Each structure stands twice: as C-alpha cells, then as structure tokens.
Amino acid sequence: MELLEAIKRRRSVRWFTNDPISYKDLLELVEAGIYAPSAGNMQNQRFLIITDKEALKKLGKIRYSFPYPRGQEKHPYGLIGEASAVIIVFIDKSIHRVPSNEYHIWSKTWIQNASASIQNILLAATDKGLGACWISAVPEMDNTRLLSGRTWREALCDYKIPEDWDVYGIVIIGYPRKTKNGVALGEIRHQRRLTARKPVEFYLAEVNR
C-alpha cells in the first residue's frame, strides 16, 4: 500500500474477529514504532506486547474504555478485552540527553515521542490489513476513575516494567470484522461527531493581511 493511501485509509477500528495475529506481525508493528522520530533523538520509546486473552480482559477491566451507553453491561472488559493483541507504549524517563536545568522542558516532549511511535504502529497495521485503535493512557490516570482507582504499576504487575518506564499509550489490534475492498472500515460517527475529514483548506491557517 502506498504511504499516503495508508494514511487516508487508517481508521480507528474497535470490532475484531477472533483470529490471532502472528507474533512476527506484532514485532514488525513494534519495529515501526521504534523507527519513529523522537525529540533530541532520545529514542526513549519502549513497548510491551500482550496477546494472552485473560491478561487482556484483566487490563480491559481496569482501564475500561467503551464509548457507548451501557457498554459495560454487555462488554465488561471493554475495547481492550475485545482485541486480539495490545501494544503498550512507554517512555523511559532515564533517557535524557539534555542539560539538567532543561529537563522540565524536554520532559514535555515525551508524549510527542510516544505519539509518533503510536502513529507509525497504526499505519503499519493498516498496511497489513489489520484494524487498530489508539486508547488513551498517561501516568496521570493513576488512582483515578479512568484506571478504576488503581495505578499502572498495579494494572501491569504481571510484567517486568522497569521503574523508569511510564505508560503513554495503548494500541488495540485485531483483524477487523468489517472491511471493504480489503480495507478495515471505521465508524461514520464517534461520540456524536462525524469521523470524515473536511477539505484540506478548512484546516489551514490564513496569512494576516
């Protein structure tokens, strides 16, 4: 698939078949994330692949995400529990190649580094005919309703997550239930808002005259 075509065809896909994804494909998605740019060339993006269904359900119950009314009644494990696999994106806070007095500035770029990796993963998934969706995840969710009053350390206690790694995003992945011409279909609306994009001119700033 041509790059621009993959960008335009990428959709947030939340409904998957039960077909497993090969570990080779998942590693290639992570590799796409590794090749994303990072501020100051810190290369501090890190990753965790989860494919075990019970582990996905456990995480999905803690970081519950489902955008529809009464979703928790029918889908107790949310979108994460519906996926075939999940890639969690971390930032390694121990990697900083900047003066110590600028640390508070450069630390603001961590979410940008993670986002660049996430976008690469989403596009690589599209290229492979997979469906994927970005689930919000940041350290500030600790001890809030968004994480069921838990912490990310507690949610991921079954894994060896270094102390300096903070969670900055989750990508759920699977083979899409609905496709057209081999391309995953997303939703027409999401949270009352149309997902279609407007013409490019709508998004451009104008020159002061």
Side-chain angles (χ1 to χ4, degrees):
M1 191 181 295
E2 293 293 331
L3 176 59
L4 191 58
E5 182 184 5
I7 290 171
K8 290 182 176 180
R9 290 191 173 191
R10 184 214 60 80
R11 295 290 184 274
S12 293
V13 179
R14 300 173 178 85
W15 303 104
F16 308 109
T17 70
N18 293 322
D19 298 320
I21 304 169
S22 75
Y23 197 67
K24 177 179 178 292
D25 279 344
L26 292 171
L27 285 179
E28 288 178 354
L29 296 186
V30 168
E31 188 174 25
I34 292 169
Y35 274 86
S38 57
N41 193 30
M42 284 185 277
Q43 299 183 35
N44 55 357
Q45 302 100 314
R46 303 290 183 266
F47 308 88
L48 170 66
I49 298 172
I50 303 176
T51 57
D52 179 77
K53 199 62 181 178
E54 291 306 311
L56 292 172
K57 288 180 179 179
K58 178 181 176 181
L59 179 59
K61 200 165 186 178
I62 295 172
R63 172 61 183 109
Y64 187 80
S65 176
F66 208 86
Y68 309 107
R70 299 196 305 276
Q72 204 154 3
E73 297 174 13
K74 294 183 178 180
H75 305 273
Y77 309 111
L79 297 175
I80 294 173
E82 302 269 346
S84 298
V86 153
I87 296 175
I88 301 181
V89 181
F90 302 84
I91 290 297
D92 183 353
K93 297 182 296 183
S94 70
I95 308 297
H96 48 89
R97 300 169 184 156
V98 295
S100 58
N101 65 328
E102 293 182 358
Y103 185 80
H104 68 289
I105 299 173
W106 287 90
S107 63
K108 303 299 183 186
T109 67
W110 293 345
I111 196 166
Q112 298 172 10
N113 298 350
S115 299
S117 288
I118 290 167
Q119 182 70 347
N120 274 15
I121 291 169
L122 294 172
L123 293 177
T126 301
D127 184 60
K128 288 180 175 292
L130 294 165
C133 183
W134 179 351
I135 303 291
S136 303
V138 290
E140 288 77 10
M141 287 182 180
D142 279 1
N143 301 308
T144 69
R145 68 165 185 86
L146 294 168
L147 208 55
S148 303
R150 311 281 285 280
T151 68
W152 285 111
R153 292 282 155 194
E154 293 170 329
L156 300 173
C157 63
D158 296 328
Y159 305 93
K160 294 180 180 179
I161 309 299
E163 199 62 37
D164 287 317
W165 291 20
D166 275 353
V167 177
Y168 273 93
I170 296 173
V171 182
I172 59 172
I173 309 162
Y175 285 99
R177 288 190 193 176
K178 295 182 179 180
T179 61
K180 184 177 181 179
N181 298 325
V183 177
L185 291 176
E187 298 163 326
I188 296 175
R189 288 181 177 271
H190 180 61
Q191 295 185 347
R192 300 180 183 177
R193 190 174 297 176
L194 289 171
T195 58
R197 303 305 195 259
K198 295 178 175 63
V200 65
E201 291 78 12
F202 175 84
Y203 302 93
L204 292 173
E206 296 182 2
V207 177
N208 285 326
R209 298 188 187 281

